[in-house]
């Protein structure tokens, strides 16, 4: 039996996979089992931030792997402590909790917010306000946070205490705050799974100001937008604001599972011994990988990310079959006349891997993708969009 048939028979049916078996790659090139070459504009889903099997990344990971692949969180390890220090240095946050995924990073953020609000305002202040069309994960709590009812239907009851606002008017937040006892507002500055939808600059500023005035915490979900993706270290930096809590994961360790929840001075000591934990969280190999990834995300790389984002917009805007191009840095959504899934299949046939999100074709290439490769892939996308 071939691998695709084997997978279909034995792996749970939760993924509508592309009909390709990938075997290996280097940088932004991936190879199918039949030897076919692909330019990768998905990077997993914004995970392999330095591409596939980057030499320095491999060296950093294997160096740690042959020393100590795991120890429990009952002991200290160097990669974990160094990573926490580096994240705090780059953001001004004071403490980091490590987990293994985006959903877990958000779970931790929600726990911190609820405990803080209970301490400061009272136990009834447990409501977390998120936005419609958001995506925060697949656990029952982060699903409750996710403002897309289609994900909720079959899994009731979800964790209570979540309200979804439209990202349009600050008056709606006021109405919700009058009705519910609100602990925190939780947003993605660019809604990723929702179709690469950047939040309005003024709206985000008003939301933060309102939160500040009403002792409501701000949580920014940077699972997809974080770690250089938008041309800044974190997407909230594009808005010139400082959240109380930030969660991140996807691209942080460049392809190994790692989530991080960063806490500001205000909430840094909310969690105490035994309040939270993770067997695998802060794994030394994953942290060594992340330390390497961060060492590569400097001002030069961030400027290149922003520049390449502009190239994508310039190349695709106004092309036949392209209705709009939006996003920031190397997080791009393309609204196409054709169904996004059809465009993606055409691209695949012609050697380019792209993603879709909601009603868009979505690009999340490696941050270090060479410009020539990117431009070559954009030609393929153009052609796929132009088909009528
Ligand atoms: C992917 C994603 C998550 C969930 O991350 P997992 O690692 O799949 O649990 C949460 N929030 C956002 C914004 C995401 O893009």
């Amino acid at each position: 039996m071939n691998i695709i048939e084997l997978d279909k028979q034995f792996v749970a049916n939760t993924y509508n996979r592309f009909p390709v078996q990938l075997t290996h790659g280097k940088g932004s090139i991936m190879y199918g089992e039949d030897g076919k070459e692909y330019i990768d504009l998905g990077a997993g889903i914004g995970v392999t931030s330095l591409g596939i099997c980057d030499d320095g990344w491999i060296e950093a990971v294997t160096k740690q792997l042959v020393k100590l692949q795991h120890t429990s969180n009952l002991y200290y390890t160097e990669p974990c402590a160094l990573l926490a220090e580096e994240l705090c240095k780059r953001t001004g946050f004071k403490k980091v909790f490590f987990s293994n995924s985006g959903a877990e990073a958000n779970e931790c953020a929600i726990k911190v917010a609820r405990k803080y609000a209970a301490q400061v305002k009272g136990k009834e202040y447990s409501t977390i306000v998120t936005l419609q069309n958001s995506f925060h994960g697949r656990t029952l709590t982060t699903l409750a946070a996710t403002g897309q009812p289609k994900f909720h239907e079959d899994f009731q009851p979800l964790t209570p205490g979540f309200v979804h606002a439209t990202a349009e008017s600050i008056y709606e937040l006021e109405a919700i705050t009058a009705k519910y006892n609100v602990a925190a507002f939780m947003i993605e500055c660019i809604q990723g799974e929702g179709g690469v939808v950047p939040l309005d600059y003024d709206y985000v500023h008003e939301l933060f100001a309102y939160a500040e005035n009403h002792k409501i915490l701000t949580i920014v979900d940077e699972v997809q937008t974080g770690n250089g993706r938008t041309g800044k270290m974190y997407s909230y930096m594009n808005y010139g604001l400082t959240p109380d809590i930030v969660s991140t994961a996807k691209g942080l360790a460049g392809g190994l599972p790692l989530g991080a929840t960063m806490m500001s001075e205000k909430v840094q000591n909310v969690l105490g011994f035994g309040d939270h934990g993770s067997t695998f969280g802060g794994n030394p190999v994953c942290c060594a990988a992340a330390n390497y990834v961060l060492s590569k995300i400097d001002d030069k790389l961030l400027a290149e990310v922003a520049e390449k984002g502009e190239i994508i917009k310039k190349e695709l805007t106004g092309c036949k079959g392209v209705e709009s191009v939006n996003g920031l840095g190397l997080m791009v959504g393309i609204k196409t006349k054709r169904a996004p899934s059809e465009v993606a299949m055409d691209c695949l046939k012609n050697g380019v891997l792209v993603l879709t999100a909601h009603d868009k074709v979505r690009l999340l290439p490696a941050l270090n993708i060479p410009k020539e490769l990117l431009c070559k892939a954009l030609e393929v996308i153009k052609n796929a969009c132009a088909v009528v």
Side-chain angles (χ1 to χ4, degrees):
M1 213 185 276
N2 77 25
I3 292 301
I4 293 181
E5 286 168 24
L6 202 64
D7 185 293
K8 280 189 194 293
Q9 183 169 348
F10 292 109
V11 176
N13 278 321
T14 57
Y15 303 109
N16 187 13
R17 299 196 205 275
F18 288 102
V20 177
Q21 179 195 344
L22 296 171
T23 54
H24 63 291
K26 192 72 188 170
S28 287
I29 299 281
M30 297 268 258
Y31 295 92
E33 165 271 336
D34 58 358
K36 186 169 167 158
E37 197 174 299
Y38 299 92
I39 303 174
D40 178 19
L41 298 190
I45 301 178
V47 168
T48 48
S49 8
L50 302 177
I52 304 300
C53 295
D54 174 86
D55 290 333
W57 183 87
I58 294 279
E59 194 190 327
V61 168
T62 44
K63 215 170 132 193
Q64 181 57 41
L65 188 60
V66 297
K67 280 206 293 194
L68 179 68
Q69 85 273 33
H70 169 84
T71 179
S72 75
N73 275 309
L74 301 175
Y75 306 98
Y76 297 95
T77 65
E78 183 178 87
C80 175
L82 289 180
L83 178 58
E85 181 197 29
E86 183 62 19
L87 287 170
C88 289
K89 264 194 195 159
R90 285 180 176 233
T91 56
F93 288 109
K94 299 295 182 197
K95 288 242 182 330
V96 185
F97 180 86
F98 290 115
S99 53
N100 315 284
S101 68
E104 285 175 278
N106 285 335
E107 290 267 346
C108 176
I110 292 162
K111 283 178 76 170
V112 171
R114 285 198 170 156
K115 188 170 176 195
Y116 177 83
Q119 284 174 346
V120 174
K121 300 197 288 188
K123 272 205 159 37
E124 66 279 17
Y125 282 82
S126 61
T127 300
I128 313 280
V129 182
T130 66
L131 296 178
Q132 287 176 20
N133 197 45
S134 60
F135 184 85
H136 297 295
R138 301 285 194 166
T139 62
L140 286 170
T141 297
T142 55
L143 211 50
T146 293
Q148 300 190 55
K150 66 175 181 195
F151 291 125
H152 294 172
E153 279 157 22
D154 297 330
F155 304 104
Q156 301 291 336
L158 305 178
T159 306
F162 289 88
V163 177
H164 309 117
T166 53
E168 274 156 26
S169 129
I170 204 72
Y171 301 111
E172 192 182 344
L173 291 178
E174 290 178 19
I176 290 170
T177 310
K179 189 166 168 199
Y180 300 92
N181 296 313
V182 175
F185 296 150
M186 180 169 171
I187 62 168
E188 301 154 86
C189 289
I190 304 175
Q191 297 183 327
E193 302 304 309
V196 192
V197 183
L199 294 189
D200 179 69
Y201 187 89
D202 291 335
Y203 175 79
V204 176
H205 274 262
E206 285 173 18
L207 179 144
F208 269 68
Y210 187 84
E212 173 86 33
N213 291 336
H214 294 79
K215 290 199 164 56
I216 292 168
L217 293 174
T218 49
I219 305 173
V220 176
D221 178 343
E222 297 265 6
V223 172
Q224 191 163 149
T225 50
N227 314 301
R229 177 59 50 198
T230 68
K232 297 270 187 205
M233 189 60 196
Y234 291 99
S235 70
Y236 70 80
M237 295 170 176
N238 293 297
Y239 291 77
L241 292 163
T242 312
D244 296 304
I245 306 170
V246 162
S247 57
T248 192
K250 287 190 168 86
L252 177 58
L256 290 176
L258 184 63
T261 309
M262 298 184 259
M263 295 165 246
S264 66
E265 187 154 22
K266 202 193 277 183
V267 296
Q268 64 170 321
N269 294 318
V270 170
L271 295 180
F273 291 145
D275 275 340
H276 200 41
S278 165
T279 299
F280 286 116
N283 170 279
V285 179
C286 300
C287 288
N291 280 321
Y292 185 76
V293 169
L294 292 189
S295 78
K296 291 286 143 185
I297 305 179
D298 54 13
D299 289 343
K300 183 166 166 281
L301 184 72
L302 291 173
E304 282 169 21
V305 167
E307 188 198 341
K308 283 182 268 190
E310 290 309 313
I311 291 175
I312 297 174
K313 278 188 189 156
K314 203 171 127 236
E315 287 294 316
L316 295 181
T317 303
C319 285
K320 192 172 173 212
V322 174
E323 292 186 344
S324 65
V325 186
N326 65 346
L328 211 50
L330 287 176
M331 179 170 182
V332 179
I334 309 160
K335 182 107 178 57
T336 52
K337 284 220 170 69
R338 292 179 81 192
S341 58
E342 283 178 26
V343 175
M345 278 303 268
D346 248 28
C347 288
L348 181 82
K349 281 191 199 127
N350 292 304
V352 174
L353 305 180
V354 301
L355 301 163
T356 62
H358 223 248
D359 57 345
K360 306 257 178 70
V361 172
R362 175 175 45 161
L363 311 182
L364 298 169
L367 306 181
N368 60 358
I369 186 172
K371 270 185 218 163
E372 313 82 73
L373 268 189
L374 179 62
C375 290
K376 204 172 148 195
L378 291 177
E379 290 305 315
V380 172
I381 295 175
K382 271 187 212 172
N383 290 334
C385 291
V387 175
V388 279

